[in-house]
PDB file of all heavy atoms in Angstrom:
ATOM      1  N   SER A   1      -0.529   5.884  -2.926  1.00 96.00           N
ATOM      2  CA  SER A   1      -0.827   4.455  -3.358  1.00 96.00           C
ATOM      3  C   SER A   1      -0.761   4.445  -4.833  1.00 96.00           C
ATOM      4  O   SER A   1      -1.523   5.353  -5.439  1.00 96.00           O
ATOM      5  CB  SER A   1      -2.081   3.804  -2.796  1.00 96.00           C
ATOM      6  OG  SER A   1      -2.299   2.612  -3.386  1.00 96.00           O
ATOM      7  N   GLU A   2      -0.193   3.553  -5.462  1.00 96.00           N
ATOM      8  CA  GLU A   2      -0.252   3.501  -7.033  1.00 96.00           C
ATOM      9  C   GLU A   2      -0.088   2.028  -7.396  1.00 96.00           C
ATOM     10  O   GLU A   2       0.419   1.217  -6.679  1.00 96.00           O
ATOM     11  CB  GLU A   2       0.972   4.256  -7.603  1.00 96.00           C
ATOM     12  CG  GLU A   2       2.332   3.669  -7.302  1.00 96.00           C
ATOM     13  CD  GLU A   2       3.501   4.522  -8.013  1.00 96.00           C
ATOM     14  OE1 GLU A   2       3.276   5.065  -9.132  1.00 96.00           O
ATOM     15  OE2 GLU A   2       4.487   4.650  -7.296  1.00 96.00           O
ATOM     16  N   LEU A   3      -0.828   1.817  -8.602  1.00 96.00           N
ATOM     17  CA  LEU A   3      -0.956   0.417  -9.052  1.00 96.00           C
ATOM     18  C   LEU A   3       0.540  -0.002  -9.573  1.00 96.00           C
ATOM     19  O   LEU A   3       1.228   0.632 -10.253  1.00 96.00           O
ATOM     20  CB  LEU A   3      -1.865   0.465 -10.275  1.00 96.00           C
ATOM     21  CG  LEU A   3      -2.152  -0.961 -10.871  1.00 96.00           C
ATOM     22  CD1 LEU A   3      -2.879  -1.887  -9.927  1.00 96.00           C
ATOM     23  CD2 LEU A   3      -3.006  -0.806 -12.027  1.00 96.00           C
ATOM     24  N   LEU A   4       0.949  -1.192  -9.075  1.00 95.00           N
ATOM     25  CA  LEU A   4       2.174  -1.753  -9.396  1.00 95.00           C
ATOM     26  C   LEU A   4       2.055  -2.763 -10.396  1.00 95.00           C
ATOM     27  O   LEU A   4       2.813  -2.748 -11.414  1.00 95.00           O
ATOM     28  CB  LEU A   4       2.814  -2.277  -8.197  1.00 95.00           C
ATOM     29  CG  LEU A   4       4.283  -2.617  -8.046  1.00 95.00           C
ATOM     30  CD1 LEU A   4       5.184  -1.428  -8.344  1.00 95.00           C
ATOM     31  CD2 LEU A   4       4.594  -3.264  -6.736  1.00 95.00           C
ATOM     32  N   ALA A   5       1.059  -3.656 -10.295  1.00 95.00           N
ATOM     33  CA  ALA A   5       0.880  -4.687 -11.417  1.00 95.00           C
ATOM     34  C   ALA A   5      -0.581  -5.136 -11.381  1.00 95.00           C
ATOM     35  O   ALA A   5      -1.147  -5.191 -10.341  1.00 95.00           O
ATOM     36  CB  ALA A   5       1.806  -5.931 -11.073  1.00 95.00           C
ATOM     37  N   ASP A   6      -1.073  -5.424 -12.567  1.00 95.00           N
ATOM     38  CA  ASP A   6      -2.503  -5.858 -12.758  1.00 95.00           C
ATOM     39  C   ASP A   6      -2.318  -6.891 -13.813  1.00 95.00           C
ATOM     40  O   ASP A   6      -2.500  -6.506 -15.077  1.00 95.00           O
ATOM     41  CB  ASP A   6      -3.375  -4.799 -13.050  1.00 95.00           C
ATOM     42  CG  ASP A   6      -4.812  -5.253 -12.920  1.00 95.00           C
ATOM     43  OD1 ASP A   6      -5.082  -6.538 -12.616  1.00 95.00           O
ATOM     44  OD2 ASP A   6      -5.743  -4.525 -13.120  1.00 95.00           O
ATOM     45  N   CYS A   7      -2.147  -8.172 -13.471  1.00 95.00           N
ATOM     46  CA  CYS A   7      -1.939  -9.177 -14.547  1.00 95.00           C
ATOM     47  C   CYS A   7      -2.674 -10.405 -14.089  1.00 95.00           C
ATOM     48  O   CYS A   7      -3.359 -10.405 -13.123  1.00 95.00           O
ATOM     49  CB  CYS A   7      -0.400  -9.495 -14.714  1.00 95.00           C
ATOM     50  SG  CYS A   7       0.444  -9.918 -13.169  1.00 95.00           S
ATOM     51  N   PRO A   8      -2.605 -11.475 -14.865  1.00 95.00           N
ATOM     52  CA  PRO A   8      -3.398 -12.764 -14.616  1.00 95.00           C
ATOM     53  C   PRO A   8      -3.068 -13.300 -13.353  1.00 95.00           C
ATOM     54  O   PRO A   8      -3.817 -13.892 -12.689  1.00 95.00           O
ATOM     55  CB  PRO A   8      -3.192 -13.626 -15.769  1.00 95.00           C
ATOM     56  CG  PRO A   8      -2.693 -12.778 -16.906  1.00 95.00           C
ATOM     57  CD  PRO A   8      -2.121 -11.585 -16.413  1.00 95.00           C
ATOM     58  N   GLU A   9      -1.743 -13.125 -12.820  1.00 94.00           N
ATOM     59  CA  GLU A   9      -1.343 -13.787 -11.617  1.00 94.00           C
ATOM     60  C   GLU A   9      -1.664 -12.967 -10.333  1.00 94.00           C
ATOM     61  O   GLU A   9      -1.890 -13.540  -9.223  1.00 94.00           O
ATOM     62  CB  GLU A   9       0.290 -13.931 -11.594  1.00 94.00           C
ATOM     63  CG  GLU A   9       0.613 -14.912 -12.683  1.00 94.00           C
ATOM     64  CD  GLU A   9       0.779 -14.235 -14.090  1.00 94.00           C
ATOM     65  OE1 GLU A   9       0.934 -12.952 -14.059  1.00 94.00           O
ATOM     66  OE2 GLU A   9       0.803 -14.931 -15.105  1.00 94.00           O
ATOM     67  N   ARG A  10      -1.793 -11.729 -10.440  1.00 95.00           N
ATOM     68  CA  ARG A  10      -1.977 -10.875  -9.282  1.00 95.00           C
ATOM     69  C   ARG A  10      -2.266  -9.413  -9.682  1.00 95.00           C
ATOM     70  O   ARG A  10      -2.029  -8.865 -10.747  1.00 95.00           O
ATOM     71  CB  ARG A  10      -0.799 -10.879  -8.284  1.00 95.00           C
ATOM     72  CG  ARG A  10       0.419 -10.093  -8.868  1.00 95.00           C
ATOM     73  CD  ARG A  10       1.607 -10.249  -8.037  1.00 95.00           C
ATOM     74  NE  ARG A  10       2.804  -9.491  -8.768  1.00 95.00           N
ATOM     75  CZ  ARG A  10       3.392  -9.993  -9.775  1.00 95.00           C
ATOM     76  NH1 ARG A  10       3.062 -11.063 -10.310  1.00 95.00           N
ATOM     77  NH2 ARG A  10       4.482  -9.380 -10.227  1.00 95.00           N
ATOM     78  N   CYS A  11      -2.891  -8.689  -8.709  1.00 96.00           N
ATOM     79  CA  CYS A  11      -2.968  -7.317  -8.720  1.00 96.00           C
ATOM     80  C   CYS A  11      -2.216  -6.619  -7.356  1.00 96.00           C
ATOM     81  O   CYS A  11      -2.463  -7.170  -6.347  1.00 96.00           O
ATOM     82  CB  CYS A  11      -4.472  -6.878  -8.689  1.00 96.00           C
ATOM     83  SG  CYS A  11      -4.689  -5.062  -8.794  1.00 96.00           S
ATOM     84  N   SER A  12      -1.377  -5.804  -7.612  1.00 97.00           N
ATOM     85  CA  SER A  12      -0.629  -5.336  -6.516  1.00 97.00           C
ATOM     86  C   SER A  12      -0.509  -3.719  -6.611  1.00 97.00           C
ATOM     87  O   SER A  12      -0.449  -3.222  -7.652  1.00 97.00           O
ATOM     88  CB  SER A  12       0.885  -5.985  -6.353  1.00 97.00           C
ATOM     89  OG  SER A  12       1.602  -5.656  -7.529  1.00 97.00           O
ATOM     90  N   VAL A  13      -0.128  -3.203  -5.435  1.00 97.00           N
ATOM     91  CA  VAL A  13      -0.026  -1.757  -5.310  1.00 97.00           C
ATOM     92  C   VAL A  13       1.330  -1.489  -4.568  1.00 97.00           C
ATOM     93  O   VAL A  13       1.795  -2.353  -3.841  1.00 97.00           O
ATOM     94  CB  VAL A  13      -1.126  -1.009  -4.639  1.00 97.00           C
ATOM     95  CG1 VAL A  13      -2.423  -1.223  -5.316  1.00 97.00           C
ATOM     96  CG2 VAL A  13      -1.383  -1.641  -3.133  1.00 97.00           C
ATOM     97  N   GLN A  14       1.805  -0.309  -4.862  1.00 97.00           N
ATOM     98  CA  GLN A  14       2.937   0.228  -4.070  1.00 97.00           C
ATOM     99  C   GLN A  14       2.526   1.408  -3.199  1.00 97.00           C
ATOM    100  O   GLN A  14       1.756   2.190  -3.742  1.00 97.00           O
ATOM    101  CB  GLN A  14       4.018   0.623  -4.966  1.00 97.00           C
ATOM    102  CG  GLN A  14       5.314   1.141  -4.223  1.00 97.00           C
ATOM    103  CD  GLN A  14       6.368   1.384  -5.189  1.00 97.00           C
ATOM    104  OE1 GLN A  14       6.978   0.427  -5.532  1.00 97.00           O
ATOM    105  NE2 GLN A  14       6.612   2.699  -5.567  1.00 97.00           N
ATOM    106  N   ILE A  15       2.818   1.320  -1.888  1.00 97.00           N
ATOM    107  CA  ILE A  15       2.367   2.273  -0.927  1.00 97.00           C
ATOM    108  C   ILE A  15       3.473   2.976  -0.410  1.00 97.00           C
ATOM    109  O   ILE A  15       4.451   2.305   0.209  1.00 97.00           O
ATOM    110  CB  ILE A  15       1.405   1.741   0.135  1.00 97.00           C
ATOM    111  CG1 ILE A  15       0.191   1.039  -0.505  1.00 97.00           C
ATOM    112  CG2 ILE A  15       1.046   2.799   1.251  1.00 97.00           C
ATOM    113  CD1 ILE A  15      -0.616   0.189   0.497  1.00 97.00           C
ATOM    114  N   THR A  16       3.532   4.384  -0.377  1.00 96.00           N
ATOM    115  CA  THR A  16       4.602   5.151   0.090  1.00 96.00           C
ATOM    116  C   THR A  16       4.033   6.019   1.236  1.00 96.00           C
ATOM    117  O   THR A  16       3.177   6.937   1.064  1.00 96.00           O
ATOM    118  CB  THR A  16       5.173   6.008  -1.012  1.00 96.00           C
ATOM    119  OG1 THR A  16       5.480   5.242  -2.049  1.00 96.00           O
ATOM    120  CG2 THR A  16       6.363   6.781  -0.474  1.00 96.00           C
ATOM    121  N   PRO A  17       4.511   5.854   2.488  1.00 95.00           N
ATOM    122  CA  PRO A  17       4.208   6.795   3.525  1.00 95.00           C
ATOM    123  C   PRO A  17       4.659   8.149   3.255  1.00 95.00           C
ATOM    124  O   PRO A  17       5.844   8.351   2.833  1.00 95.00           O
ATOM    125  CB  PRO A  17       4.889   6.134   4.716  1.00 95.00           C
ATOM    126  CG  PRO A  17       5.093   4.717   4.341  1.00 95.00           C
ATOM    127  CD  PRO A  17       5.267   4.786   2.958  1.00 95.00           C
ATOM    128  N   LEU A  18       3.826   9.167   3.520  1.00 95.00           N
ATOM    129  CA  LEU A  18       4.306  10.615   3.238  1.00 95.00           C
ATOM    130  C   LEU A  18       4.883  11.219   4.502  1.00 95.00           C
ATOM    131  O   LEU A  18       4.700  10.661   5.539  1.00 95.00           O
ATOM    132  CB  LEU A  18       3.158  11.366   2.673  1.00 95.00           C
ATOM    133  CG  LEU A  18       2.592  10.791   1.360  1.00 95.00           C
ATOM    134  CD1 LEU A  18       1.289  11.592   1.005  1.00 95.00           C
ATOM    135  CD2 LEU A  18       3.595  10.776   0.269  1.00 95.00           C
ATOM    136  N   SER A  19       5.351  12.363   4.419  1.00 93.00           N
ATOM    137  CA  SER A  19       5.875  13.028   5.586  1.00 93.00           C
ATOM    138  C   SER A  19       4.943  13.393   6.706  1.00 93.00           C
ATOM    139  O   SER A  19       5.233  13.409   7.854  1.00 93.00           O
ATOM    140  CB  SER A  19       6.547  14.391   5.170  1.00 93.00           C
ATOM    141  OG  SER A  19       5.512  15.257   4.570  1.00 93.00           O
ATOM    142  N   GLY A  20       3.656  13.449   6.522  1.00 94.00           N
ATOM    143  CA  GLY A  20       2.621  13.556   7.401  1.00 94.00           C
ATOM    144  C   GLY A  20       2.203  12.339   8.290  1.00 94.00           C
ATOM    145  O   GLY A  20       1.549  12.411   9.127  1.00 94.00           O
ATOM    146  N   PHE A  21       2.867  11.101   7.936  1.00 95.00           N
ATOM    147  CA  PHE A  21       2.658   9.947   8.649  1.00 95.00           C
ATOM    148  C   PHE A  21       3.349  10.119   9.961  1.00 95.00           C
ATOM    149  O   PHE A  21       4.589  10.138  10.084  1.00 95.00           O
ATOM    150  CB  PHE A  21       3.283   8.772   7.931  1.00 95.00           C
ATOM    151  CG  PHE A  21       2.767   7.365   8.381  1.00 95.00           C
ATOM    152  CD1 PHE A  21       1.744   6.740   7.693  1.00 95.00           C
ATOM    153  CD2 PHE A  21       3.236   6.890   9.591  1.00 95.00           C
ATOM    154  CE1 PHE A  21       1.295   5.547   8.165  1.00 95.00           C
ATOM    155  CE2 PHE A  21       2.800   5.649  10.034  1.00 95.00           C
ATOM    156  CZ  PHE A  21       1.756   4.950   9.282  1.00 95.00           C
ATOM    157  N   GLY A  22       2.539  10.214  11.079  1.00 95.00           N
ATOM    158  CA  GLY A  22       3.032  10.430  12.378  1.00 95.00           C
ATOM    159  C   GLY A  22       3.133   9.244  13.336  1.00 95.00           C
ATOM    160  O   GLY A  22       2.701   8.170  12.959  1.00 95.00           O
ATOM    161  N   PRO A  23       3.678   9.417  14.512  1.00 94.00           N
ATOM    162  CA  PRO A  23       3.764   8.420  15.389  1.00 94.00           C
ATOM    163  C   PRO A  23       2.381   7.674  15.844  1.00 94.00           C
ATOM    164  O   PRO A  23       2.363   6.635  16.423  1.00 94.00           O
ATOM    165  CB  PRO A  23       4.545   8.941  16.545  1.00 94.00           C
ATOM    166  CG  PRO A  23       4.230  10.455  16.498  1.00 94.00           C
ATOM    167  CD  PRO A  23       4.069  10.710  14.972  1.00 94.00           C
ATOM    168  N   ASP A  24       1.273   8.447  15.793  1.00 96.00           N
ATOM    169  CA  ASP A  24       0.040   7.945  16.097  1.00 96.00           C
ATOM    170  C   ASP A  24      -0.683   7.411  14.946  1.00 96.00           C
ATOM    171  O   ASP A  24      -1.947   7.010  15.242  1.00 96.00           O
ATOM    172  CB  ASP A  24      -0.895   8.955  16.818  1.00 96.00           C
ATOM    173  CG  ASP A  24      -0.117   9.453  18.215  1.00 96.00           C
ATOM    174  OD1 ASP A  24       0.554   8.581  18.850  1.00 96.00           O
ATOM    175  OD2 ASP A  24      -0.278  10.621  18.528  1.00 96.00           O
ATOM    176  N   ASP A  25      -0.210   7.308  13.819  1.00 97.00           N
ATOM    177  CA  ASP A  25      -0.798   6.858  12.661  1.00 97.00           C
ATOM    178  C   ASP A  25      -0.558   5.394  12.405  1.00 97.00           C
ATOM    179  O   ASP A  25       0.203   4.756  13.028  1.00 97.00           O
ATOM    180  CB  ASP A  25      -0.390   7.591  11.383  1.00 97.00           C
ATOM    181  CG  ASP A  25      -0.901   8.968  11.363  1.00 97.00           C
ATOM    182  OD1 ASP A  25      -2.019   9.121  11.552  1.00 97.00           O
ATOM    183  OD2 ASP A  25      -0.031   9.894  11.132  1.00 97.00           O
ATOM    184  N   TYR A  26      -1.443   4.677  11.630  1.00 97.00           N
ATOM    185  CA  TYR A  26      -1.225   3.309  11.370  1.00 97.00           C
ATOM    186  C   TYR A  26      -1.496   3.047   9.834  1.00 97.00           C
ATOM    187  O   TYR A  26      -2.182   3.834   9.133  1.00 97.00           O
ATOM    188  CB  TYR A  26      -2.172   2.442  12.112  1.00 97.00           C
ATOM    189  CG  TYR A  26      -3.645   2.562  11.928  1.00 97.00           C
ATOM    190  CD1 TYR A  26      -4.401   2.044  10.868  1.00 97.00           C
ATOM    191  CD2 TYR A  26      -4.452   3.359  12.805  1.00 97.00           C
ATOM    192  CE1 TYR A  26      -5.737   2.266  10.581  1.00 97.00           C
ATOM    193  CE2 TYR A  26      -5.707   3.472  12.636  1.00 97.00           C
ATOM    194  CZ  TYR A  26      -6.368   2.908  11.561  1.00 97.00           C
ATOM    195  OH  TYR A  26      -7.774   3.075  11.454  1.00 97.00           O
ATOM    196  N   LEU A  27      -1.036   1.885   9.267  1.00 97.00           N
ATOM    197  CA  LEU A  27      -1.304   1.285   8.022  1.00 97.00           C
ATOM    198  C   LEU A  27      -1.488  -0.166   8.334  1.00 97.00           C
ATOM    199  O   LEU A  27      -0.530  -0.895   8.848  1.00 97.00           O
ATOM    200  CB  LEU A  27      -0.055   1.530   7.109  1.00 97.00           C
ATOM    201  CG  LEU A  27      -0.197   1.288   5.657  1.00 97.00           C
ATOM    202  CD1 LEU A  27      -1.286   2.187   5.091  1.00 97.00           C
ATOM    203  CD2 LEU A  27       1.110   1.588   4.816  1.00 97.00           C
ATOM    204  N   VAL A  28      -2.727  -0.656   7.965  1.00 97.00           N
ATOM    205  CA  VAL A  28      -2.979  -2.166   8.215  1.00 97.00           C
ATOM    206  C   VAL A  28      -3.594  -2.740   7.023  1.00 97.00           C
ATOM    207  O   VAL A  28      -4.232  -2.186   6.155  1.00 97.00           O
ATOM    208  CB  VAL A  28      -4.126  -2.057   9.340  1.00 97.00           C
ATOM    209  CG1 VAL A  28      -4.782  -3.380   9.523  1.00 97.00           C
ATOM    210  CG2 VAL A  28      -3.659  -1.512  10.604  1.00 97.00           C
ATOM    211  N   GLU A  29      -3.082  -4.008   6.828  1.00 97.00           N
ATOM    212  CA  GLU A  29      -3.577  -4.881   5.793  1.00 97.00           C
ATOM    213  C   GLU A  29      -4.584  -5.855   6.416  1.00 97.00           C
ATOM    214  O   GLU A  29      -4.298  -6.535   7.348  1.00 97.00           O
ATOM    215  CB  GLU A  29      -2.374  -5.618   5.087  1.00 97.00           C
ATOM    216  CG  GLU A  29      -2.631  -6.623   4.148  1.00 97.00           C
ATOM    217  CD  GLU A  29      -1.370  -7.423   3.882  1.00 97.00           C
ATOM    218  OE1 GLU A  29      -1.292  -8.524   4.562  1.00 97.00           O
ATOM    219  OE2 GLU A  29      -0.708  -7.218   2.888  1.00 97.00           O
ATOM    220  N   VAL A  30      -5.815  -5.953   5.714  1.00 97.00           N
ATOM    221  CA  VAL A  30      -6.836  -6.872   6.123  1.00 97.00           C
ATOM    222  C   VAL A  30      -7.020  -7.884   4.924  1.00 97.00           C
ATOM    223  O   VAL A  30      -7.243  -7.491   3.841  1.00 97.00           O
ATOM    224  CB  VAL A  30      -8.142  -6.056   6.313  1.00 97.00           C
ATOM    225  CG1 VAL A  30      -9.203  -7.241   6.655  1.00 97.00           C
ATOM    226  CG2 VAL A  30      -7.918  -5.110   7.512  1.00 97.00           C
ATOM    227  N   THR A  31      -6.787  -9.122   5.234  1.00 96.00           N
ATOM    228  CA  THR A  31      -6.921 -10.257   4.288  1.00 96.00           C
ATOM    229  C   THR A  31      -8.072 -10.996   4.413  1.00 96.00           C
ATOM    230  O   THR A  31      -8.417 -11.283   5.483  1.00 96.00           O
ATOM    231  CB  THR A  31      -5.629 -11.146   4.379  1.00 96.00           C
ATOM    232  OG1 THR A  31      -4.378 -10.494   4.137  1.00 96.00           O
ATOM    233  CG2 THR A  31      -5.585 -12.264   3.377  1.00 96.00           C
TER     234      THR A  31
END
């Protein structure tokens, strides 16, 4: 994960799954 933008309108990140991300793994967003 790396910071993509931090400005008055928003703060966002870019997330890159790595080679170790397997079929039993998850990535979940909680709002």
Side-chain angles (χ1 to χ4, degrees):
S1 174
E2 64 184 323
L3 186 62
L4 195 58
D6 191 0
C7 56
E9 295 83 23
R10 72 185 173 287
C11 180
S12 60
V13 294
Q14 180 170 281
I15 299 170
T16 305
L18 300 175
S19 60
F21 195 101
D24 295 327
D25 288 315
Y26 63 77
L27 193 60
V28 171
E29 174 189 88
V30 177
T31 302

